[in-house]
Amino acid sequence: MRRPTSAKLFGLALLLVADIVDAFYIPSMGPQSFKPGERVPLNVNRVFSEHVPLPFAYYDLPFVCKPQDVRRPWLNIGEVLRGDRIASSDYELTMGQDSECRVLCTKTLTPAANEEAGRFVEQDYLVEWIVDKLPGATVFLKHGSDGTKQKEYEPGFKIGSYDKTSGLKYLNNHVSMHVLYEKRGEGRRIVGFEVYPRSIKNASGNCPDIGDKVSAPLIVGEHREAVVTYSYSVHWVEDTSVKWNHRWDRYLTATDQQVHWYAILNSAVIILLLSGVVAIILMRMLNRDIGMYAEEESRDDIEETSGWKLLHGDVFRAPNYGGLLAPLLGTTVQVMYTFIITILLGILGVLSPSYRGGLLTTGIVVFLLMGGASGYYSGHLYRTWGGTNWLKNAVMTATLVPALIVGAELVLNMFL
């Protein structure tokens, strides 16, 4: 019996690796198929605005419908830090079964809740719902290069509309949900979740006339009690133009047209200030060195040196605050390794958009794991510069930069 050659073994290994990579999915991130008639859960998440840096949990709003039994899934640290507050809802979505209109609830708004609803509408807050890990999106049509119209998604939909001319605020109390799917055998995979909100004045407790395009909108923001009926429609649409593996493309191609002038000005001012500080330091160092060399030239007994010997005193002299510089350099190495590893994981496809909060979670975990590299480089430099208190160096390396960041966040939270 002939033994396989090394070339054949290498080819088999490549095929095995290719099969493993092709079948690789992070747990809970793989495709999920729903059979016709199967219940598809809809979770609510948060409300956020481009103009206000404070997101809120959806059920924190006093003017929305809240189920009696709210179930909250486990969230990773990345989801918590980005402001996610995912919870279950009473919206009923059944695969393949359209619903023209259903009443979710009828809620009586207190005068305070009515005014707060107006504030949220005026501040242009968006609502984020989730179906099969896809956020409900507002649809924009973009003209392609071939003349056809292409869909682009912006995560979230408006909680209401604000008429600046009249000062009136309209609350969206009816939503039409279009869930796009592709067929895979007997199952169906969700490839899109579109939400079309609408404001309809309705306090009857029944579904409004959806076909009436000129129905009066629901006005909020007034200091009076109001009765609001929330309703929704569900439409299932088969979309053969999008595959499950590419369902996030429409979200990722969306661009933010708003120019963040404040952030640009802030960055420019910081760059100018730092450049000025560096320039002042360099000028002082040059003036000092020029003065020192001029003084040495005036002395007759100075030993004449040339070349690199003029710099040997500066090159091999330990810094004055080496005990502080070493921890900072060690943390710099730690951050550098964190960026490199996180970017590599993103290139390999591990940080998929379906993995909510994955970027922050991975960054924090990698940063903690790279603490060993930080300690090694910091301790090596500290000993090279003649340091003897290794315990102090280790404590400072582990706590100096994180303590500064935590202190800054606490101060910002006090203002918020």
Side-chain angles (χ1 to χ4, degrees), residues 364-382:
I364 292 173
V365 172
V366 174
F367 181 81
L368 295 176
L369 294 177
M370 291 299 103
S374 172
Y376 170 78
Y377 282 97
S378 175
H380 178 71
L381 291 173
Y382 183 69

Side-chain angles (χ1 to χ4, degrees), residues 315-338:
V315 172
F316 297 105
R317 184 178 67 243
N320 294 331
Y321 298 97
L324 179 63
L325 181 60
L328 293 177
L329 293 176
T331 306
T332 303
V333 173
Q334 185 179 6
V335 173
M336 180 184 68
Y337 284 173
T338 301

Side-chain angles (χ1 to χ4, degrees), residues 132-242:
D132 191 29
K133 300 183 179 64
L134 283 178
T138 302
V139 181
F140 296 93
L141 294 178
K142 179 182 178 182
H143 293 279
S145 57
D146 55 353
T148 60
K149 293 183 178 180
Q150 300 176 352
K151 285 184 178 181
E152 286 188 356
Y153 289 167
E154 181 180 345
F157 61 93
K158 287 190 174 183
I159 201 171
S161 57
Y162 176 49
D163 188 350
K164 294 183 180 180
T165 304
S166 61
L168 296 178
K169 302 137 189 174
Y170 308 109
L171 180 66
N172 292 326
N173 60 325
H174 178 84
V175 290
S176 178
M177 294 177 277
H178 292 190
V179 186
L180 312 182
Y181 66 90
E182 66 164 346
K183 290 184 179 180
R184 282 296 183 94
E186 297 181 356
R188 300 177 180 179
R189 295 179 180 177
I190 296 176
V191 296
F193 179 32
E194 305 172 358
V195 182
Y196 301 89
R198 187 178 174 187
S199 178
I200 304 176
K201 186 178 181 179
N202 182 21
S204 64
N206 300 316
C207 275
D209 185 5
I210 306 300
D212 186 6
K213 301 298 182 181
V214 294
S215 59
L218 174 62
I219 300 176
V220 293
E222 302 174 348
H223 188 73
R224 63 180 180 84
E225 191 175 274
V227 179
V228 180
T229 297
Y230 288 90
S231 55
Y232 65 98
S233 304
V234 182
H235 301 278
W236 298 88
V237 182
E238 183 180 0
D239 191 347
T240 58
S241 62
V242 181

